[in-house]
Amino acid sequence: MQHGARLGIDVEVVQRPKERGFQPLPKRWVIERTFGWLMQHRRLARDCEALPQRSRTMIHWAMATEVELVVS
């Protein structure tokens, strides 16, 4: 957490619920769903890009494709 604070990143520790069984954690399911969408694109799943800029561009392209599918 201190490393994230030095970088200017807000780190929030989420406590696990006391009840037993499946309990989705707040906001975490949104991130997990997004990663699932991104892994449907072959180039992102295999990480075959040599440059970080190209990987970033491919992530933007993949998310634009997902948004287009949801909107249409």
Side-chain angles (χ1 to χ4, degrees), residues 4-51:
R6 281 195 299 270
L7 295 175
I9 300 171
D10 292 331
V11 178
E12 180 183 348
V13 177
V14 179
Q15 297 297 324
R16 293 189 180 267
K18 303 284 188 224
E19 300 94 28
R20 301 210 31 110
F22 178 74
Q23 294 286 327
L25 299 175
K27 295 187 183 178
R28 183 173 178 166
W29 68 271
V30 175
I31 295 169
E32 295 291 335
R33 179 191 62 193
T34 304
F35 286 153
W37 284 347
L38 289 174
M39 288 300 108
Q40 291 177 357
H41 295 271
R42 184 181 63 83
R43 288 184 75 162
L44 294 176
R46 301 229 168 108
D47 194 25
C48 56
E49 308 301 336
L51 301 173

